[in-house]
């Protein structure tokens, strides 16, 4: 259960605790039976720390004692507050004697079910049942006597245990907790591994398991404002995609020097070391001392030896830090700024995942990255990426953008343009392997190509985009200076000629090259199947179809052959082949292979580039017409001679090389008027007259 924090409670509930108005100390609410004093709180916290160090059972009792009896997750827990199987009359545990007199078990059970269990506020699986006990403080009257408040019934907050009378006020109060990241109830009882030992500070911790890796988390770990050990459960897809990209590179050559520049809890670097073992040499860094300490603790929790740590030698052979006397892997943990360590040492694989934008670390990442190495960048500043803070977008990425129907792909291309410019400053080019924009992050994975020629080729891919604000047609501007009046002629639409004024806007600079590499994605799909990552397999299959811009794709899925799978309406034939593609990395790179041969393989896919951007079928629907199903519409576009595919950026989007006019013509051709059937059913006599 969440630990009580007196200062936070007083600050959060100045507005909520007093429903009838007014302020001051007379309206301060209790946690349970009475408000403890400051000395009692200190002594209680000291006692909790002492009991937590005694053992697991004492720690559990210390963490669950703060929760009020009205907060239950199951009806059995509410009924277990009193002995309903015993004989005689029994009192309600949530009502005073004067409100509900003692009765027999069958009446008491019905009372608990119909009143307390049904009148509740639910939050993260916990029900805050209504409570009629005198938990609220007595309010002094004008003559000095203390009289109870008008509203006796109330709810106890599951997060901070404050009492609030009205249900709507409790819901608003819980929303404030969520906005501030104080959602302890979401993880107090949901850990995959039982509670093992308390945190060094005496606070209750959680052992969370993901992909076979255990990490220890402190309370308030879901918000960086409350603790330094930041962990986000919603980034599981991101961690798995990064892991699969590293696994593909590890099949090409090993061992690899890998860097997790922003370790936090160390979950990502520990997954690399635990599953790829000797193929990688993992380095986890963080600038915060608390994060570094927790990363080392998590290493010992997963039986991974910490290189260069004084605590790594304290675990004897055959002890809990080793398995049969041999550690699973070795990880280097360092307290260092990300820019510093990337300037000091070369790496084969670098992952950048700061809180927000990663533009401040791109120059350092490209300085010492080895040739044909991989850099993955995760950006979570969706406000600037998705055209909500245009001034921040211009400041961080140097691009002018507007809100469009394809804003997610626009954000991915803007990040890639920034990455390409940073690489070009170091005389390096990039080959984009993957660009994903899902949930609340944008992930780009690029391969580094050394040399000024590759840098020039990548720089030429950075272009301006001409976007029509009326029909949302778009086209990349050709290289070379042009007169401003002739810019509109590059758009396939005729909005400029039919409407006065400027109808188009120039966006960018953006990355105009492809966003996916088919061979690399096939290797990622194989790695996802090999390591049992079922969550991202549908996403990778969609990316493979999107990379080739086709609805039927033959892909490598594993050792089993000749099995068919249907994913998002797309039939994917799974078969075992010797070579995954022109850029397949299914085996170790031979000593005779030269970087020039790899460069030829990378350039062989240039003719198979997918068309940029996509159209939303709902955005361009015709009023009064029933559109065909999306899979049927893809088939109609294919029959018309266009390349089409689904896109992961938008579930209603269609990636195609057709222009917007061609797209609308096919959509209009196969759309059915909505009034045809309704008129025939509502006016059958008029239909007969017309037929006669």
């Amino acid at each position: 259960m969440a630990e009580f924090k007196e200062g936070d409670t007083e600050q959060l509930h100045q507005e909520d605790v007093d429903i009838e108005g007014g302020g001051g100390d007379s309206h301060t609410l209790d946690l349970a039976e009475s408000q403890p004093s400051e000395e009692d709180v200190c002594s209680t916290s000291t006692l909790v720390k002492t009991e937590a160090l005694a053992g697991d059972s004492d720690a559990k009792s210390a963490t669950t004692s703060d929760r009020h009896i009205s907060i239950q997750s199951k009806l059995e827990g509410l009924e277990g507050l009193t002995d309903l199987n015993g004989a005689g009359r029994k009192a309600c545990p949530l009502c005073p004697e004067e409100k509900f007199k003692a009765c027999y078990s069958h009446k008491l059970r019905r009372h608990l079910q119909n009143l307390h269990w049904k009148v509740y506020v639910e939050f993260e699986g916990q029900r805050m049942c209504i409570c009629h006990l005198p938990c609220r403080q007595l309010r002094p009257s004008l003559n000095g006597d203390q009289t109870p408040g008008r509203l006796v019934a109330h709810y106890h907050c599951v997060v901070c245990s404050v009492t609030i009378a009205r249900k709507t006020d409790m819901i608003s109060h819980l929303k404030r907790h969520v906005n501030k990241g104080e959602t302890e109830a979401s993880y107090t009882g949901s850990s995959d591994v039982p509670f093992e030992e308390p945190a060094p500070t005496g606070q209750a911790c959680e052992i969370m398991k993901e992909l076979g890796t255990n990490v220890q988390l402190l309370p308030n770990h879901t918000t960086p404002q409350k603790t330094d050990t930041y962990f986000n459960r919603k980034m599981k897809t991101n961690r798995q995609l990064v892991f699969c990209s590293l696994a593909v590179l590890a099949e090409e050559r090993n061992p690899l020097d890998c860097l997790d520049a922003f370790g936090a809890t160390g979950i990502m670097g520990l997954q690399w070391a635990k599953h790829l073992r000797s193929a990688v040499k993992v380095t986890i860094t963080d600038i915060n001392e608390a994060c570094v300490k927790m990363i080392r603790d998590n290493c010992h929790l997963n039986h991974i030896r910490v290189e260069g740590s004084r605590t790594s030698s304290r675990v004897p052979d055959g002890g809990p830090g080793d398995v049969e006397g041999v550690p699973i892997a070795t990880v280097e943990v360092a307290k260092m700024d990300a820019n510093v360590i990337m300037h000091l040492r070369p790496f084969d694989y670098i992952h950048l995942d700061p809180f927000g934008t990663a533009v401040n670390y791109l120059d350092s990442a490209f300085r010492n990255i080895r040739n044909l190495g991989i850099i993955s960048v995760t950006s979570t500043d969706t406000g600037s990426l998705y055209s909500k803070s245009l001034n921040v977008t211009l400041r961080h990425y140097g691009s002018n953008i507007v809100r469009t129907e394809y804003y997610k792909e626009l954000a991915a291309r803007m990040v890639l343009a920034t990455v390409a410019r940073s690489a070009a400053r170091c005389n390096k080019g990039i080959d984009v392997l993957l660009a994903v924009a899902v949930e609340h992050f944008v992930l780009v994975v690029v391969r580094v190509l050394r040399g000024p020629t590759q840098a020039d080729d990548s720089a030429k891919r950075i272009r301006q985009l001409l976007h029509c604000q009326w029909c949302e047609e778009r086209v990349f501007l050709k290289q070379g200076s042009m007169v401003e009046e002739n810019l509109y002629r590059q758009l396939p639409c005729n909005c400029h000629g039919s409407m006065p004024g400027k109808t188009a806007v120039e966006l960018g600079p953006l990355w105009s090259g492809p966003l996916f590499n088919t061979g690399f994605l096939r290797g990622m799909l194989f790695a996802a199947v090999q390591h049992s990552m079922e969550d991202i397999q549908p996403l990778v299959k969609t990316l493979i179809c999107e990379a080739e811009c086709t609805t039927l794709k033959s892909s490598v899925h594993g050792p089993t052959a000749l099995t068919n799978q249907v994913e998002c309406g797309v039939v994917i034939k799974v078969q075992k082949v010797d070579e995954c593609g022109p850029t397949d990395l299914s085996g170790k790179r031979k000593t005779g292979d030269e970087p020039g041969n790899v460069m030829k393989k990378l350039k062989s896919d240039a003719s198979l580039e997918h068309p940029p951007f996509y159209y939303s079928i709902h955005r361009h629907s015709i009023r009064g017409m029933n559109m065909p199903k999306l899979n049927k519409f893809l088939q109609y576009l294919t029959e018309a001679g266009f390349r089409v595919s689904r896109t992961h950026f938008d579930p209603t989007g269609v990636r195609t090389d057709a222009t917007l006019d061609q797209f609308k013509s096919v959509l209009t051709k196969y759309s059915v008027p909505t009034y045809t059937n309704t008129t025939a059913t509502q006016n059958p006599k008029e239909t007969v007259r017309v037929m006669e």
Side-chain angles (χ1 to χ4, degrees), residues 248 517-524 548 580-585 605:
V248 174
N517 189 294
T518 308
F520 191 83
L521 290 174
R522 288 176 175 176
M524 289 183 60
E548 288 281 337
C580 296
T583 59
D584 176 45
L585 308 174
D605 266 352

Side-chain angles (χ1 to χ4, degrees), residues 109-168:
R109 180 180 286 106
R110 187 166 58 249
H111 167 77
L112 292 175
Q113 293 177 359
N114 296 338
L115 177 63
H116 297 287
W117 184 250
K118 288 187 178 180
V119 184
Y120 66 93
V121 177
E122 188 171 2
F123 180 73
E124 300 290 345
Q126 300 287 336
R127 282 195 178 188
M128 294 165 278
C129 303
I130 192 168
C131 176
H132 293 274
L133 297 175
C135 304
R136 300 171 63 88
Q137 272 192 343
L138 298 179
R139 184 177 56 187
S141 60
L142 296 177
N143 56 4
D145 298 334
Q146 290 187 345
T147 58
R150 181 173 58 88
L151 296 176
V152 179
H154 55 273
Y155 302 91
H156 290 263
C157 179
V158 69
V159 179
C160 61
S161 299
V162 75
T163 57
I164 296 180
R166 296 175 183 173
K167 184 176 181 178
T168 55

Side-chain angles (χ1 to χ4, degrees), residues 597-613:
N597 298 333
V598 180
M599 290 297 303
K600 293 179 181 179
K601 293 181 180 181
L602 295 176
K603 294 180 179 180
S604 62
D605 266 352
S607 59
L608 300 177
E609 293 182 3
H610 58 82
F613 301 112

Side-chain angles (χ1 to χ4, degrees), residues 208-237:
M208 200 279 305
K209 186 174 183 180
E210 180 181 293
L211 197 63
T213 306
N214 301 327
V215 289
Q216 176 180 309
L217 307 176
L218 290 176
N220 289 326
H221 60 269
T222 55
T223 170
Q225 287 82 5
K226 296 298 179 182
T227 181
D228 299 319
T229 56
Y230 179 58
F231 179 81
N232 194 346
R233 296 178 183 271
K234 296 182 180 180
M235 295 293 286
K236 181 179 179 181
T237 302

Side-chain angles (χ1 to χ4, degrees), residues 434-493:
L434 175 67
V436 176
V438 294
E439 297 176 354
H440 64 285
F441 68 88
V442 175
L443 171 66
V444 296
V445 181
V446 299
R447 186 187 296 273
V448 180
L449 310 176
R450 278 193 174 183
T453 304
Q454 286 75 19
D456 294 339
D457 294 340
S458 299
K460 292 178 182 178
R461 297 272 190 171
I462 303 175
R463 299 182 184 178
Q464 298 291 123
L465 180 72
L466 196 61
H467 170 80
C468 180
Q469 293 183 330
W470 290 98
C471 65
E472 296 214 24
E473 181 63 286
R474 76 289 304 208
V475 64
F476 280 109
L477 296 178
K478 297 180 181 179
Q479 293 182 350
S481 58
M482 300 185 63
V483 183
E484 184 178 358
E485 290 78 7
N486 297 331
L487 291 177
Y488 296 99
R489 298 180 181 178
Q490 298 191 28
L491 282 171
C493 64

